[in-house]
Structure formats: structure tokens, C-alpha cells
Amino acid sequence: MTFDKQRLHKKTLIAKPLNRFLSFIGPLIVILLFNFPDLTDITSFETFLDEFLSYAVIVIPIIILVIVGELVQFFRTYYWVDGNRIVLESGLFVRKQQDIQINRIQSIDTSEPVIHRLLHLTKVIIKTPGKGITLDAMSQAQYEELSHYLNDLKHHLKQETAADEMSNEDVFYSETISANHTFSSDPSDKLVTEPAADEEAETLYHLSVLDIIKMTLMSGSFFSGVAVLLVGLEFLTDALPIDALFSNAESFVLSTSILLLIMVFVVIVVSVYLLAIAATVIKNYNYTVKRTGDFLIIKKGLFETKSQTVNLKNIQSLEEEQNWIHSILGFTSFFVSITSDSKTDNKNAESEDFGKINLFPLIKKQAIIPILTDCLPNYQFSPAVPKAPKRSYRRFIQIPILFWGLVAAAVSYWLWSWVWVAWLPILLLYLIYGYRAIKLTGFALNQEEVTIQTATLFGVTQSYIRKERILSMKVKQTPFLKRVRLCKLSFSAAMGNASQTYQLDFIEESDGFILFNWFKKEGGSADENN
């Protein structure tokens, strides 16, 4: 078997046009809902019908052109393996080639949107630390055949010790694999793919539907729902006959109208919140984390099933986030940052927060410790020790309080004199945050690892980074901070295609330079700003 030029599965001719058509349906339904006429008014209905037909004359040809473009693109899209490269060639008018080196492939992930699942197709995402490519629609047989081939080819390429000899013998290796197609005996050489992982994987974590609902209830989705509701109040006031309700301002009618409005508001708030819960359940349905060797495989999704691979060796940092509710009930969320989760060249492929992956969205604090110890034995996960002195209290809160105070003053002068009533809860929130900041801001340090803990407005974040993963470190002091012997310390670690910055604010000057000297010892580069 060789991988000469070949197209995606023929069912792509159905899948891509259907996906494009469905992408137009959503906006059209929204437009119809907000412009739907009063069926009792013939004139209004006729006006609506005329406008709909005028839109259809414009939109339908566009949809047809887009679908035809997708069909033509199918016949102009090929993929093949050329020595140490897998190549994807595509383009409607301008032909372009994307390729990646097989020996740098970190994982082969999959995604199955609704149309793909109905047609028994799989979207394949091949990732490396630098870039990736997406093969939009393949059959399960095509996917398994390609993944097995790439596994074996990567193993043979890795066995070649001399880089110049490897580049000269790519064709030989391809021919050898074609004649003798076997898996590598070394698990570290393998690319983890879903079929292989399912046979031998150990389940580490699973979210039931009830767990997903609890996760949503403990998150800030309620406040997001209320914000969406407030943005849509203009549409609500246009839809409801508020003026008619209050036109007869008699006592009974007035009280009934107010009660009706309150009930409508409550129903809408509850509906928005239930929709948020439903969306979260659909996205994270059957969320499962499995382990096979040095890889973790994440699977989730109801309508669109996604599979994502995390190479434990490529983890750059770990982050634990707890909001107030999590802390009270003993739960936490755990994230990992990696370099192999790069953006692919296909705009439809999902990249999880550019390299930051929510590995355990909701888990008991005690339950996560044995899992992490087993998966990441090089980490010690030392708890942070508070390091912010009491004299730093006002520095945590003075800038946000001053900012919101100026905003409130402007609003009070120009628009609403009672805005200070709304400003007082903000003031109280930041006063509490300042107290929590000096109680929580801190770090723990050992020879090879640092733990950073910082307070957020509604929770706490604890990050674990090994020394060799830190790219740079800075100690920053303004003249005011230098006078009171305080400093800010920041450092960066790789994440996705870029980096992530961590910062400790208003810690003791001596502690800042303890961290700085720890990083600078035995090599490394850092910048010191005094």
C-alpha cells in the first residue's frame, strides 16, 4: 500500500454542501423570527412576503454559488505522503500545498459533526508543535489506514540516527512500510489515534449529564445569561404591549400589569439559563478522559463528537482554577497548556483556547491528586505559601476603585444621579478582593518547579511550572514600589503557538529576587528591571 495522490471520501460531495446550507439556515431563522408579521393583518403579511421574496432572490443564488464552489473544491483537493511529508493540496482558484513532517506529528485527532456522523465520515486533524492540517471528510477505513501508515512511518524515521541519511532514504522507508505494514513496538514512537487508544486505554475521568449540569450551575453562565437578556431588552420591550398594559393606570389593572411583567422577566431569565445548561450538556456530553501510555485522549460531544489528544511530554504548565462556589463545595477545574495544539490551516477546525485545554472541567480536589501524581510523576504540586505583605493591600484595589469611581462620577453628572447606588457593591467587591489577594498571593519553590497562586475577582488560580519550561523572567519595580521594598514578578511559558504570562503582584522585593536568582541559576535568560 502506498499513499499516492487521492481525494477525500466521495460522501464529501454531500457533507460539505449540507454543512454550508445549514450554516445559512440559522441566520435566516433568526431574521424570520424578528420580522415575522402579524397574521391578522393582511397588509403586514403581504409586506413581509414581498421582503422575503426580495431577500430570497439575493440569498438563493449566493447559496447555490457557495455549494457549487464546495463541489468544485472536492475535485481539486488531494492528499498524499511524500517521503517524510504528508501533503494537502487544495484551492478553488489558486492551488496551494500545505505539508508537515511526519516525524514531528504529535497527535491525530478527530471531529464528527452531525452531517459527518449521519454519513459515517470523520474529520481528521493532524497536529504538530508548529502547525497542522485538516482532512475534512474521510471514512473510518481511510482514517485507520492513514493513521496506521503514519504510525509505522514515524517509527522507521525515528530509528534513523543520521538526519542527512534519513532525508536521503525517505523513499526506501516508504517502500519498506508498504511491504511490511506493522505497528511500532515502542509506545513512545506512536501517534495516538482513537481506534488504537480505545483498545487499551484506561479511563481516568468521566462526566455524567448530572455532573455537567452541576458544572454549569457552579460557573458564571447565569450572569452571562442575564447579560444576554439585558442586551435583548430592547427587542423585548418592542414585542410586549407595555404601553397598553399601563394605559389604564387603575389600581387593579396596574398591579396586574406589573405582576405580568415580573412573571415574563422571570420566565425569560429561567429560559436563558436552561438554554445555557442545554448548550453545555450538548457540547460536553459523555466527556471522558482516557490514558494510553504518555497520551491522554479527550472525547466529548452529543451532536458533534470530538476526540483530542494531549501528549504528557508536551505539557508546558498546569493551572488549577477555583471560584467561590468551587472552594466551598470542594471542587476545582484543571487546565494544561501544551505546544502541540496549534491552529490548523482549516478554519473549521477547533483549537481549544490556542493551546490551553480544560482537562478536568469539574472534579473533587481530593480526587485529582492521585490522577496527577500518576500521569505527571515529575511534578510535586507543592501548595503555595502566601507572600504578599499587608502593606500591599491598597495597591491591589486602588486602580480598579479609582477607575470605577471616575466612571460612576461621569454617569452621575451626565445621565443618572443614583449611579452611586450601583457603585457601592463594586466598591465592596474590590475591598473583599484586596483582602483575599494578600491572603492568597504567593508561591512555593523547589529545585525544579515553582507554584504560583493568585487571587481573581471571583476565585483563585494556582499554576505549576517546571523550571525548564520557563522562557523568561522579569522583576519589575517602579520608584514607588522600590521605596516600600515591593516588586512585581512576571515570567512566561510556551502555550500553543505563542506564550502565556504569569505574574505575582506586590510581593516582597526579597522574594522576587529569590525567584529571579532561582531561574537564573544554572543557565537561562531573564530580564531584570529595577
Side-chain angles (χ1 to χ4, degrees), residues 445-498:
L445 194 64
N446 58 55
Q447 187 175 359
E448 298 298 334
E449 180 186 339
V450 62
T451 302
I452 299 293
Q453 182 172 277
T454 56
T456 61
L457 202 56
F458 296 103
V460 60
T461 299
Q462 195 158 226
S463 305
Y464 309 91
I465 309 99
R466 289 187 59 81
K467 183 177 180 179
E468 68 269 16
R469 300 298 191 184
I470 299 176
L471 301 177
S472 65
M473 183 175 288
K474 296 180 181 180
V475 177
K476 298 180 285 186
Q477 285 183 299
T478 65
F480 300 104
L481 291 178
K482 192 173 182 64
R483 186 180 63 183
V484 294
R485 301 183 309 281
L486 296 176
C487 70
K488 293 183 178 183
L489 181 134
S490 65
F491 60 90
S492 61
M495 185 178 75
N497 290 327

Side-chain angles (χ1 to χ4, degrees), residues 262-301:
I262 293 174
M263 290 176 62
V264 170
F265 183 81
V266 170
V267 168
I268 293 178
V269 169
V270 172
S271 299
V272 170
Y273 198 38
L274 291 176
L275 286 173
I277 293 175
T280 306
V281 170
I282 290 170
K283 180 180 179 181
N284 296 285
Y285 181 77
N286 198 32
Y287 189 106
T288 306
V289 179
K290 295 184 178 182
R291 181 184 178 184
T292 172
D294 290 327
F295 296 85
L296 300 179
I297 302 98
I298 304 171
K299 286 192 66 176
K300 63 179 181 179

Side-chain angles (χ1 to χ4, degrees), residues 107-134:
S107 66
I108 303 177
D109 298 335
T110 62
S111 175
E112 295 180 4
V114 178
I115 300 300
H116 284 59
R117 293 177 68 182
L118 292 174
L119 297 174
H120 304 288
L121 297 175
T122 298
K123 182 185 294 185
V124 180
I125 305 130
I126 304 173
K127 295 178 180 178
T128 74
K131 63 179 181 178
I133 61 175
T134 296

Side-chain angles (χ1 to χ4, degrees), residues 8-23 67 70-71 74 112-123 136-138 348:
L8 300 174
H9 198 275
K10 292 181 179 179
K11 290 181 181 178
T12 308
L13 291 169
I14 303 173
K16 295 206 75 173
L18 276 178
N19 281 322
R20 285 295 186 183
F21 178 75
L22 291 177
S23 68
I67 292 175
E70 294 288 359
L71 297 178
F74 167 79
E112 295 180 4
V114 178
I115 300 300
H116 284 59
R117 293 177 68 182
L118 292 174
L119 297 174
H120 304 288
L121 297 175
T122 298
K123 182 185 294 185
D136 190 81
M138 303 179 71
N348 295 322

Side-chain angles (χ1 to χ4, degrees), residues 296-504:
L296 300 179
I297 302 98
I298 304 171
K299 286 192 66 176
K300 63 179 181 179
L302 179 59
F303 298 131
E304 181 176 0
T305 303
K306 295 184 179 181
S307 173
Q308 185 176 22
T309 304
V310 178
N311 189 339
L312 294 173
K313 294 181 179 180
N314 290 332
I315 291 178
Q316 304 299 308
S317 61
L318 304 104
E319 192 169 291
E320 182 182 352
E321 295 184 2
Q322 280 186 308
N323 59 33
W324 292 351
I325 303 176
H326 288 161
S327 300
I328 293 171
L329 299 178
F331 287 94
T332 188
S333 297
F334 206 85
F335 298 78
V336 295
S337 296
I338 62 174
T339 55
S340 60
D341 192 17
S342 61
K343 290 184 181 179
T344 62
D345 294 295
N346 189 304
K347 64 182 179 181
N348 295 322
E350 180 178 321
S351 178
E352 296 269 347
D353 295 329
F354 308 104
K356 184 176 179 180
I357 300 171
N358 193 348
L359 191 60
F360 305 116
L362 184 71
I363 189 171
K364 279 285 187 180
K365 182 80 172 177
Q366 296 83 355
I368 198 174
I369 296 174
I371 297 176
L372 295 176
T373 303
D374 181 50
C375 294
L376 301 164
N378 293 333
Y379 283 82
Q380 297 186 23
F381 301 103
S382 304
V385 179
K387 295 290 185 178
K390 292 182 179 179
R391 66 181 185 277
S392 65
Y393 175 79
R394 70 174 179 85
R395 292 174 173 84
F396 280 106
I397 63 174
Q398 61 188 7
I399 298 300
I401 287 179
L402 178 61
F403 171 78
W404 288 111
L406 292 174
V407 170
V411 173
S412 176
Y413 182 79
W414 295 103
L415 299 174
W416 185 36
S417 60
W418 288 92
V419 71
W420 296 104
V421 176
W423 180 77
L424 288 175
I426 297 176
L427 173 63
L428 178 62
L429 183 64
Y430 275 103
L431 290 175
I432 297 173
Y433 163 73
Y435 175 78
R436 292 177 62 253
I438 62 172
K439 291 294 183 181
L440 295 173
T441 300
F443 64 91
L445 194 64
N446 58 55
Q447 187 175 359
E448 298 298 334
E449 180 186 339
V450 62
T451 302
I452 299 293
Q453 182 172 277
T454 56
T456 61
L457 202 56
F458 296 103
V460 60
T461 299
Q462 195 158 226
S463 305
Y464 309 91
I465 309 99
R466 289 187 59 81
K467 183 177 180 179
E468 68 269 16
R469 300 298 191 184
I470 299 176
L471 301 177
S472 65
M473 183 175 288
K474 296 180 181 180
V475 177
K476 298 180 285 186
Q477 285 183 299
T478 65
F480 300 104
L481 291 178
K482 192 173 182 64
R483 186 180 63 183
V484 294
R485 301 183 309 281
L486 296 176
C487 70
K488 293 183 178 183
L489 181 134
S490 65
F491 60 90
S492 61
M495 185 178 75
N497 290 327
S499 63
Q500 182 177 11
T501 300
Y502 302 86
Q503 183 159 308
L504 283 171

Side-chain angles (χ1 to χ4, degrees), residues 18 29 41-42 73 92 100 104 130 132 194 265 290 301-302 341 353 355 383-384 389 405 457 487 520 523:
L18 276 178
I29 292 175
D41 186 350
I42 300 299
Q73 181 132 310
L92 186 59
I100 55 178
R104 299 191 72 234
E194 185 181 335
F265 183 81
K290 295 184 178 182
L302 179 59
D341 192 17
D353 295 329
L457 202 56
C487 70
K520 192 168 65 170

